[in-house]
């Protein structure tokens, strides 16, 4: 898993890569290197960690304006404690993006406890 800020060229092709596209709410949106998409293979994935509706709309726009990228899996993940997964699920049901909802299961099960 990578932030999308560094080249993937040094990684072997058979390594599964999950690239985090930084949405505006992350404060790191300018760090994403779009050319990284060229290094993705059919088994890799993009992940968007979303803080709210603005980030969600950013992710939809990113996917719409990124034609030809080999992105078979896309995950939308809500920031824990900031975006209710139910809200994100509702938006996704309404808009039907080609993406899966992904929650941090360890947070659902154990909250912010560390060491589990």
């Amino acid at each position: 898993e990578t932030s999308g800020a560094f080249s993937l060229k040094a990684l072997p092709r058979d390594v599964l890569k999950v690239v985090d596209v930084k949405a505006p709410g992350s404060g790191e949106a300018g760090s994403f290197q779009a050319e990284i998409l060229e290094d993705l293979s059919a088994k890799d994935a993009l992940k968007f960690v979303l803080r709210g509706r603005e980030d969600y709309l950013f992710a939809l726009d990113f996917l719409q304006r990124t034609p030809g990228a080999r992105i078979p899996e896309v995950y939308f993940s809500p920031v824990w404690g900031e975006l209710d997964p139910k809200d994100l699920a509702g938006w996704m049901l309404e808009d039907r993006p080609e993406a899966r909802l992904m929650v941090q299961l360890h947070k659902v099960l154990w909250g912010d406890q560390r060491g589990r």
Side-chain angles (χ1 to χ4, degrees):
E1 192 163 339
T2 177
S3 68
F6 301 101
S7 173
L8 305 174
K9 293 191 185 309
L11 296 174
R13 289 295 288 171
D14 57 337
V15 169
L16 174 66
K17 296 168 279 300
V18 178
V19 177
D20 187 357
V21 179
K22 298 298 186 185
S26 73
E28 299 177 35
S31 68
F32 183 76
Q33 304 296 313
E35 59 272 7
I36 238 174
L37 296 173
E38 298 168 12
D39 296 324
L40 296 178
S41 67
K43 68 182 175 324
D44 298 325
L46 286 182
K47 179 177 78 170
F48 295 83
V49 178
L50 308 173
R51 214 172 213 107
R53 181 81 176 166
E54 180 184 353
D55 284 353
Y56 172 74
L57 295 174
F58 165 85
L60 292 181
D61 180 64
F62 182 97
L63 294 173
Q64 186 174 28
R65 64 182 162 79
T66 311
R70 292 178 295 170
I71 308 165
E73 293 289 334
V74 176
Y75 302 106
F76 288 175
S77 182
V79 171
W80 180 257
E82 294 192 34
L83 174 56
D84 189 326
K86 292 176 192 172
D87 291 337
L88 179 54
W91 301 335
M92 292 176 74
L93 285 170
E94 185 176 313
D95 297 325
R96 302 286 185 191
E98 291 190 33
R100 294 179 182 198
L101 175 63
M102 181 174 76
V103 296
Q104 293 176 295
L105 186 56
H106 63 286
K107 299 260 183 151
V108 172
L109 296 174
W110 297 295
D112 287 326
Q113 281 185 335
R114 295 191 58 83
R116 287 198 170 220

